[in-house]
Amino acid sequence: MTVSSPQPASEKASENSFRALLPYWQVTFASFLGWFLDAFDQTSLMFTLPDIAHDLECTIGALGTVLTAQAIGRAVGNTSWGWLSDRYGRRIAFMLGVVWFGVFSALTGLSHSLYMLMIVQFMFGIGFGGEWTASAALLMESVPARTRPVASAIMMSGYEVGYFVAAAAQALILPHYSWRILFFIGLAPALLAIFIRIGVKESPVWLRNQQNRQTRQTAGTPKQALRPKFVMNAAAFQAIALMSFLEFQKAAIYTFYPTILRGAHHLTPGQVFWPITLYCFGSFSGKLVCGWLAQRFGDVKVMLAAIGVVVLTIWPFLSAPTWSMLLAAAIIMGAAASGIFALVPHYLAKRFPSDTRSLGMGLAYALGSLGQGLASWLVPVFGPSTRMLPISAEAFVVGSSAVTAGIAMVQPKHLPGEHMEGDELPVA
């Protein structure tokens, strides 16, 4: 008679993690939707770069400065919203972020010069970065400990859904209407702000910290001693370094992907829809799978495996000589390159204490945004022609992947947020 062995706790946790998130569906859905709307607005710019260049009578290289301006805005938004979120609450910062980037997305459609576009995209970047910072901290502090990797994956998969919807919209709109229409759709985030106001609760960790401060203040503790101090320790430095190179890698992979498809592969906007769709499908699936795998094998092992797949896939992704190879590479690259980002909120949250968590996560993403901006500038500089653009991107992806893997393999002795103050939250 065969006796079956008991199911390992890690497997049982993996099976129940999605079900355990159901009582927290409002904050999970709001975080997913915020990143979805962010992605739609940001990737609309990528899809329309050739059209904007034609309309504004400038080069793709000149538009690289617009992407850099957006990245600098993201850095400002990440850090300022991190402070705002720690000081006044995750929820209010989240609401303000989605309204902010929605307004400036719509204003992008009214830009009639390169300089105006740079200013508007800089302002858009502030809201773009701020929304992520506040929503990521809110989600990680609102859901039970064992569900955080999956919650992180669900939130980050919103980007791929937004990317997919933007691809579908550009395929329908660009052949018949102006590129400006895509950005006018960006006013939609106002509806999400209403949902956050009505259906999403404030972080219980932030509320507890506020209550503790009030108690200490009542007991006579000086105000200066109550102010949280950000500490740049080894864990914080690793978080910032990893995000800088990871964002650089991701920007080199996909920022000019639609442009390469239309230029080097001579695809129409309608044809571009198909590799982008498969990339988004792979990304969405990859993020959920990576979130599940991280519960069993840990963040670092999953990250390293995904980085290896990125390096092996980058050439066929950008330079495949056949249509079928191009489509296959799009699925694999989406799963690997985007799958890494499924782990980012959870990875960063563990490296900062709750008092300065949002600021720390925002700072890491801020400097990562600068890495993205640098890649957006360097790739077209070293690849000024249709033939050289994919080669430049491939070289930068391989180099940044190697550095990212090296940083990920270092394990700090102390992770301030590894055992978060909300770990005792009940699991349904």
Side-chain angles (χ1 to χ4, degrees):
M1 181 167 129
T2 304
V3 180
S4 59
S5 58
Q7 188 180 26
S10 60
E11 289 187 17
K12 187 178 292 185
S14 299
E15 289 179 3
N16 295 335
S17 55
F18 287 99
R19 185 181 303 171
L21 275 174
L22 288 178
Y24 311 93
W25 72 267
Q26 293 98 330
V27 65
T28 305
F29 178 67
S31 300
F32 165 88
L33 199 55
W35 204 221
F36 159 79
L37 293 168
D38 261 353
F40 180 91
D41 293 344
Q42 188 196 41
T43 55
S44 291
L45 182 64
M46 298 177 198
F47 284 117
T48 54
L49 286 177
D51 307 279
I52 295 174
H54 178 269
D55 199 8
L56 301 185
E57 298 180 346
C58 62
T59 64
I60 295 294
L63 289 178
T65 60
V66 174
L67 296 170
T68 301
Q70 183 198 94
I72 295 173
R74 285 181 61 191
V76 173
N78 284 135
T79 49
S80 59
W81 250 261
W83 174 85
L84 182 71
S85 177
D86 286 335
R87 182 73 179 271
Y88 298 104
R90 318 303 195 204
R91 191 177 68 149
I92 187 68
F94 187 9
M95 285 190 289
L96 181 60
V98 296
V99 173
W100 184 293
F101 80 73
V103 169
F104 284 99
S105 176
L107 288 176
T108 300
L110 299 176
S111 300
H112 289 277
S113 71
L114 181 63
Y115 295 109
M116 181 180 178
L117 187 62
M118 288 176 62
I119 294 171
V120 170
Q121 279 296 304
F122 169 78
M123 298 300 290
F124 166 80
I126 292 176
F128 182 96
E131 180 278 325
W132 184 91
T133 299
S135 63
L138 176 62
L139 181 63
M140 290 298 98
E141 293 178 351
S142 298
V143 301
R146 81 180 193 194
T147 67
R148 286 175 190 144
V150 171
S152 175
I154 292 174
M155 171 190 169
M156 297 302 283
S157 66
Y159 195 95
E160 277 60 50
V161 180
Y163 196 2
F164 168 77
V165 174
Q170 65 87 32
L172 295 173
I173 291 172
L174 292 184
H176 309 289
Y177 305 101
S178 169
W179 56 270
R180 301 178 187 278
I181 302 297
L182 278 173
F183 295 97
F184 295 150
I185 301 174
L187 287 171
L191 298 175
L192 174 59
I194 296 173
F195 176 77
I196 298 169
R197 177 68 180 85
I198 296 174
V200 177
K201 298 179 180 179
E202 182 56 87
S203 158
V205 175
W206 184 84
L207 290 174
R208 184 183 304 130
N209 287 340
Q210 289 297 106
Q211 185 177 12
N212 290 340
R213 288 194 193 99
Q214 291 176 1
T215 302
R216 292 171 61 193
Q217 187 174 0
T218 303
T221 304
K223 287 186 177 181
Q224 189 172 1
L226 293 174
R227 294 173 185 170
K229 296 180 180 179
F230 181 79
V231 179
M232 180 58 76
N233 53 23
F237 180 80
Q238 183 191 36
I240 292 169
L242 183 130
M243 285 307 302
S244 299
F245 284 95
L246 190 60
E247 284 278 9
F248 186 102
Q249 178 219 55
K250 186 68 181 292
I253 290 170
Y254 86 113
T255 298
F256 296 97
Y257 185 46
T259 302
I260 291 171
L261 292 176
R262 292 179 63 176
H265 295 280
H266 309 292
L267 302 184
T268 66
Q271 291 171 324
V272 165
F273 172 75
W274 295 109
I276 294 294
T277 296
L278 292 177
Y279 175 88
C280 292
F281 174 78
S283 297
F284 185 81
S285 304
K287 282 184 173 178
L288 295 180
V289 170
C290 283
W292 176 76
L293 289 174
Q295 291 188 136
R296 303 189 63 186
F297 303 108
D299 295 344
V300 175
K301 290 181 179 179
V302 178
M303 279 186 179
L304 293 175
I307 289 171
V309 175
V310 166
V311 172
L312 294 175
T313 312
I314 187 59
W315 178 81
F317 177 67
L318 296 178
S319 302
T322 65
W323 178 244
S324 58
M325 186 182 295
L326 194 70
L327 296 179
I331 299 177
I332 298 172
M333 179 59 77
S338 299
I340 301 172
F341 278 81
L343 312 176
V344 163
H346 185 236
Y347 181 89
L348 295 182
K350 292 189 297 183
R351 280 156 174 79
F352 301 98
S354 62
D355 279 349
T356 58
R357 178 169 294 133
S358 193
L359 176 59
M361 293 174 71
L363 182 61
Y365 232 105
L367 295 182
S369 299
L370 295 180
Q372 183 187 49
L374 185 62
S376 300
W377 174 68
L378 287 176
V379 170
V381 165
F382 285 88
S385 66
T386 299
R387 184 176 66 86
M388 291 300 298
L389 187 61
I391 297 174
S392 174
E394 290 158 9
F396 280 115
V397 167
V398 172
S400 56
S401 295
V403 178
T404 303
I407 295 171
M409 285 189 289
V410 178
Q411 181 65 22
K413 293 182 179 180
H414 175 58
L415 295 179
E418 186 170 17
H419 302 292
M420 297 184 198
E421 290 80 348
D423 283 357
E424 74 279 4
L425 286 170
V427 178

